[in-house]
């Protein structure tokens, strides 16, 4: 057990933050979540944990607040999950995306370096860094070619983490996580948009589901499996970066078909394509090779693609029935 360990999680109100908080509480951690004072962020993902975690205010845009937070918390592990995480929004707010997702990592690492350099630091890197992929599947050694302001900012944060590890001998690691979903995924993301849309159509609340590029392929896994990998990286004896992925790519169309099949409906009767949901620069084919994590960390995903889709559809059906 890790009864004497304190974890600081930025982005604790998000999908990954909520699953990570649950995972660490099970291991007897003291869990502190960083929240922004002006945040309109929905805390419903962590409502069931509120009496077991501490929430403290600080902001990735404010260096002093991060220093004060780390002095107050004295974390043994820091998980930097906060970011402007929705890729399309990064096109409409590219400067703010750079501030949060790129420079925010600098501020976190600087605060850690001065206050608690002995802590472990996890940076949430992203498969979006590969963008226009140079090779398939993508490994830790595949060159980056980001295709969005979000992807560019994540590359900055990734290499900065490498630099601080090598320059200041910090235990700082990056997890290059491929797409990971769950019933807690925001409805602006295509996977949750699909499962929520399927549930609404099944219950007679909608008749149509409009989507963008159905031919884009992604390597999808379950968020609960992926936060376990984050923790495993910080327990490893050497600070290293790891790709975390299922190793299997599916198209958006396959996701749609699997979701509609689960409720015994033919997707072709309900799904349409709208150009407004297309990205300015599309990322067509992401598939990760997590061989290094499987070999060194002994990490394995437990939820496969089909069960993930079914889990999300079932959760959305349940959610809508409760609200009815």
């Amino acid at each position: 057990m890790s009864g004497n360990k304190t974890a600081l999680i930025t982005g604790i109100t998000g999908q990954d933050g909520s699953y990570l908080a649950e995972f660490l509480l099970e291991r007897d951690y003291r869990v502190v979540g960083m929240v922004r004072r002006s945040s309109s962020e929905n805390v419903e993902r962590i409502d069931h944990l509120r009496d077991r975690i501490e929430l403290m205010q600080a902001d990735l845009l404010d260096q002093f607040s991060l220093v004060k937070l780390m002095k107050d918390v004295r974390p043994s592990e820091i998980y930097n999950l906060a970011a402007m995480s929705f890729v399309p929004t990064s096109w409409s707010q590219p400067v703010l995306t750079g501030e949060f997702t790129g420079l925010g990592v600098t501020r976190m690492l600087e605060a850690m370096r001065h206050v608690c350099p002995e802590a472990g630091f996890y940076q949430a890197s992203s498969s979006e860094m590969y963008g226009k992929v140079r090779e398939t599947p993508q490994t830790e050694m595949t060159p980056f070619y980001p295709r969005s302001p979000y992807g560019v900012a994540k590359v900055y944060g990734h290499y900065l983490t490498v630099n601080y590890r090598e320059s200041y001998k910090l235990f700082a690691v990056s997890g290059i996580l491929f797409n990971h979903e769950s019933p807690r995924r925001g409805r602006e993301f295509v996977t949750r948009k699909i499962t929520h849309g399927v549930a609404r159509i099944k219950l007679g609340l909608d008749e149509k589901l409009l989507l963008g590029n159905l031919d884009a392929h992604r390597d999808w896994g379950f968020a609960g499996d992926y936060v376990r990998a984050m923790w495993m990286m910080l327990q490893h004896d050497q600070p290293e970066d790891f790709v975390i992925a299922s190793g299997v790519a599916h198209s958006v169309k396959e996701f749609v078909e699997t979701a509609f099949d689960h409720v015994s409906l033919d997707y072709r009767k309900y799904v349409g394509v709208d150009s407004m949901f297309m990205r300015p620069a599309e990322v067509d084919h992401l598939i990760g090779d997590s061989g290094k994590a499987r070999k060194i960390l002994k990490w394995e995903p437990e939820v496969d693609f089909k069960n993930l889709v079914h889990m999300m559809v079932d959760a959305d059906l349940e959610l809508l029935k409760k609200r009815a």
Side-chain angles (χ1 to χ4, degrees):
M1 296 293 275
S2 311
N4 58 346
K5 284 195 174 182
T6 296
L8 172 63
I9 305 173
T10 73
I12 194 168
T13 59
Q15 168 189 259
D16 292 6
S18 66
Y19 279 108
L20 180 61
E22 284 176 352
F23 179 87
L24 294 174
L25 286 169
E26 286 170 10
R27 277 151 190 79
D28 205 24
Y29 275 69
R30 172 191 174 215
V31 176
V32 181
M34 185 185 101
V35 291
R36 296 174 64 208
R37 184 179 184 86
S38 60
S39 179
S40 57
E41 186 87 53
N42 196 331
V43 295
E44 95 181 72
R45 294 186 185 96
I46 54 169
D47 260 349
H48 63 298
L49 305 174
R50 289 298 287 274
D51 60 339
R52 301 169 62 203
I53 61 175
E54 300 167 50
L55 297 181
M56 299 178 76
Q57 290 178 350
D59 197 310
L60 285 178
L61 303 187
D62 181 358
Q63 183 73 56
F64 180 76
S65 72
L66 298 176
V67 170
K68 183 177 185 306
L69 175 68
M70 289 192 197
K71 283 180 177 175
D72 291 344
V73 175
R74 292 288 167 182
S76 36
E77 294 176 4
I78 300 164
Y79 296 87
N80 186 38
L81 310 185
M84 297 277 282
S85 62
F86 187 48
V87 174
T89 300
S90 77
W91 287 104
S92 58
Q93 297 182 311
V95 176
L96 193 60
T97 297
E99 284 283 355
F100 274 114
T101 309
L103 286 174
V105 183
T106 317
R107 297 185 188 103
M108 286 292 292
L109 285 165
E110 271 294 287
M112 171 192 168
R113 181 168 78 87
H114 289 290
V115 178
C116 48
E118 69 293 337
F121 181 87
Y122 173 85
Q123 166 60 15
S125 286
S126 166
S127 60
E128 287 286 332
M129 300 189 305
Y130 296 118
K132 191 174 180 180
V133 298
R134 308 291 187 90
E135 63 180 10
T136 301
Q138 292 88 53
T139 72
E140 292 81 5
M141 303 306 292
T142 303
F144 300 135
Y145 194 146
R147 298 271 280 169
S148 67
Y150 171 76
V152 172
K154 279 292 187 186
V155 171
Y156 177 97
H158 178 86
Y159 277 129
L160 204 82
T161 303
V162 172
N163 271 264
Y164 271 62
R165 174 171 73 224
E166 294 176 350
S167 303
Y168 299 119
K169 304 297 180 264
L170 300 178
F171 197 103
V173 304
S174 287
I176 306 173
L177 270 55
F178 279 67
N179 293 60
H180 46 289
E181 318 296 321
S182 76
R184 298 180 195 172
R185 191 56 136 158
R187 288 217 299 269
E188 69 273 22
F189 290 86
V190 68
T191 49
R192 183 73 195 289
K193 182 180 177 182
I194 292 166
T195 62
H196 194 257
V198 166
R200 287 185 63 85
I201 289 168
K202 180 64 178 177
L203 296 174
L205 301 171
D206 269 334
E207 295 176 359
K208 205 80 179 161
L209 177 61
L210 294 177
L211 298 167
N213 182 8
L214 296 180
D215 295 320
H217 282 70
R218 292 291 184 273
D219 181 331
W220 279 300
F222 172 50
D225 286 338
Y226 286 39
V227 300
R228 177 162 39 88
M230 299 175 185
W231 176 78
M232 292 171 93
M233 286 179 219
L234 289 190
Q235 313 318 306
H236 186 46
D237 53 3
Q238 294 291 329
E240 297 180 54
D241 303 326
F242 291 90
V243 165
I244 302 299
S246 76
V248 183
H250 298 271
S251 67
V252 175
K253 186 186 286 183
E254 282 178 82
F255 197 108
V256 168
E257 197 169 356
T258 305
F260 274 97
D261 280 352
H262 186 51
V263 294
S264 306
L265 293 176
D266 180 351
Y267 80 95
R268 288 168 295 195
K269 295 178 180 174
Y270 305 98
V271 174
V273 173
D274 190 325
S275 60
M276 74 175 280
F277 298 120
M278 299 287 190
R279 292 186 190 181
E282 185 55 86
V283 174
D284 292 316
H285 200 96
L286 291 174
I287 176 168
D289 177 354
S290 58
K292 180 184 173 186
R294 292 170 195 247
K295 182 181 176 185
I296 294 176
L297 301 178
K298 302 293 185 271
W299 174 82
E300 289 285 344
E302 293 173 3
V303 179
D304 66 12
F305 174 75
K306 188 175 180 182
N307 284 315
L308 171 65
V309 178
H310 290 180
M311 176 203 301
M312 292 176 68
V313 172
D314 289 341
D316 275 322
L317 283 167
E318 199 61 38
L319 182 72
L320 289 167
K321 284 174 186 172
K322 275 184 189 165
R323 290 179 179 171

